[in-house]
Amino acid sequence: MSSLISGMSHVRLSAPDLDRMQAFLEDFGMILAGRDERRLYMRGTGDAPYLHVTELGEPGTISFGYQVTEPDRLADLAALPGAGPVEPLDGPGGGKRVRLSTPDGLTIELVAGRETAEPLPPRTLIRPPDGESRTLGPARVVRIAHTAFMTGQLARLIEWYQHTLGVIPSDELFLGDDGGVLGQFDRVDLGEELVDHHVVFLLRGRKTGMHHVSFEVEGVDDIFFGYDHMTAAGRDHVRGIGRHALGSQIFNYWMSPDGQMHEHWISAERLNAESAFNRILIGEGMSYDTGEKPPRRFVEQATPLVTFQE
């Protein structure tokens, strides 16, 4: 078991209107976990006390939070180059964190000691005597799955994630005619334990920032009636419904009111430390995917970084 992290704990974004962000995230399928004048905390149906933090401020990306595999080592992590001290973690569930910075300047929060929340009961799948085969309302978000990040220094960022956090590559995308590496999917290494196809996707681009943040939903039906609910609510749809061949992932992408892309996601493929690493030659527009060609704003999306506010 060599990864420093076991998975994501939360994403921390910023927005100028917390009411507006809360309404978007409730339509997206999250539940209010806590709120004050400066911060909004939203949870899913799983046992995490929150998955999504919005800080009051200009629109942007503040940090990615990861759960560490060995909580007792948090003090050791504070000794890593450029790391901050062990400090209390804000929000429901408490806990502690150590903050690092990637070569691009993104803050990474290494988290331990959060108290779990009571999971919400799953949707009833047995039709009652007076029921019918219809589901209305938002998707049910369970947990945070991964992020994608665009960078102008891809090789350096891949090396940082692998050396510092101990992630390992699942698939790498490259272009023909000496176009070079376009991106790499990296997963956590928990030995024989099965994990997601990736916890982060690092992709090459002219901008620096979060491409999207992805949340697992309770079942594949959530992708579809979540689409209906978000559409009826007038939300900004970016891409989907479709399927990523890598990871066997069903997806749908939505833009927040402040330009931060959120994904409804569910996957049928799991990997462990022994799973093969593949290099994939791709065509224009990620041609291995199922569904429509991705629009330009999907390909070029990168929510810029903003400073962590104390």
Side-chain angles (χ1 to χ4, degrees):
M1 185 180 295
S2 58
S3 284
L4 179 64
I5 58 173
S6 58
M8 291 206 70
S9 60
H10 64 281
V11 65
R12 192 180 299 266
L13 307 179
S14 59
D17 188 328
L18 298 185
D19 289 334
R20 187 171 64 179
M21 181 63 93
Q22 181 177 338
F24 167 77
L25 293 173
E26 288 175 342
D27 282 338
F28 187 79
M30 295 189 203
I31 304 151
L32 179 65
R35 180 171 167 173
D36 58 30
E37 293 181 355
R38 292 180 50 203
R39 295 186 179 97
L40 169 69
Y41 302 90
M42 302 293 288
R43 62 166 290 185
T45 63
D47 66 359
Y50 57 87
L51 310 173
H52 194 293
V53 186
T54 308
E55 305 261 359
L56 189 63
E58 61 180 296
T61 304
I62 297 176
S63 65
F64 296 163
Y66 297 97
Q67 189 74 31
V68 300
T69 53
E70 299 181 49
D72 293 341
R73 290 190 56 221
L74 208 57
D76 296 335
L77 303 181
L80 291 173
V86 178
E87 58 187 358
L89 181 64
D90 59 88
K96 297 180 180 181
R97 72 177 171 208
V98 169
R99 285 185 275 178
L100 304 174
S101 183
T102 72
D104 288 287
L106 172 69
T107 297
I108 298 297
E109 300 181 61
L110 300 176
V111 171
R114 294 201 302 174
E115 294 181 4
T116 58
E118 184 68 27
L120 301 182
R123 182 181 296 105
T124 300
L125 299 179
I126 299 174
R127 182 187 295 182
D130 57 350
E132 58 181 332
S133 297
R134 295 174 59 195
T135 302
L136 302 176
R140 288 170 60 92
V141 167
V142 178
R143 66 180 178 100
I144 185 170
H146 62 262
T147 52
F149 191 84
M150 182 178 287
T151 176
Q153 42 184 332
L154 179 60
R156 186 179 179 197
L157 195 57
I158 289 173
E159 194 278 335
W160 186 91
Y161 262 88
Q162 293 182 358
H163 176 75
T164 306
L165 302 186
V167 298
I168 56 177
S170 298
D171 288 304
E172 185 171 270
L173 308 178
F174 70 97
L175 299 170
D177 300 324
D178 298 321
V181 176
L182 178 64
Q184 188 179 98
F185 297 91
D186 288 281
R187 68 187 186 275
V188 297
D189 176 4
L190 301 183
E192 295 182 358
E193 183 177 337
L194 297 177
V195 301
D196 292 340
H197 174 265
H198 61 285
V199 72
V200 67
F201 175 44
L202 303 171
L203 67 153
R204 189 181 74 197
R206 299 175 182 175
K207 304 176 184 178
T208 297
M210 184 185 78
H211 182 266
H212 71 268
V213 56
S214 179
F215 298 89
E216 183 181 23
V217 294
E218 189 171 277
V220 71
D221 286 347
D222 289 82
I223 304 285
F224 290 89
F225 59 72
Y227 174 86
D228 291 340
H229 181 82
M230 294 284 278
T231 300
R235 298 301 177 185
D236 185 5
H237 184 240
V238 181
R239 184 187 179 196
I241 298 169
R243 177 181 178 272
H244 293 309
L246 302 181
S248 188
Q249 301 161 79
I250 309 300
F251 64 79
N252 207 13
Y253 294 90
W254 301 90
M255 197 71 75
S256 80
D258 297 293
Q260 299 131 329
M261 195 154 66
H262 293 59
E263 180 188 19
H264 282 148
W265 172 95
I266 195 165
S267 174
E269 184 177 51
R270 306 282 278 173
L271 292 75
N272 61 25
E274 300 302 318
S275 297
F277 165 61
N278 293 303
R279 299 190 73 241
I280 313 294
L281 174 65
I282 68 167
E284 182 182 358
M286 305 289 217
S287 61
Y288 58 84
D289 282 349
T290 301
E292 82 282 10
K293 179 180 177 180
R296 178 175 293 275
R297 70 172 180 152
F298 176 87
V299 175
E300 298 180 351
Q301 162 69 15
T303 302
L305 304 182
V306 296
T307 303
F308 200 109
Q309 300 295 320
E310 298 295 342

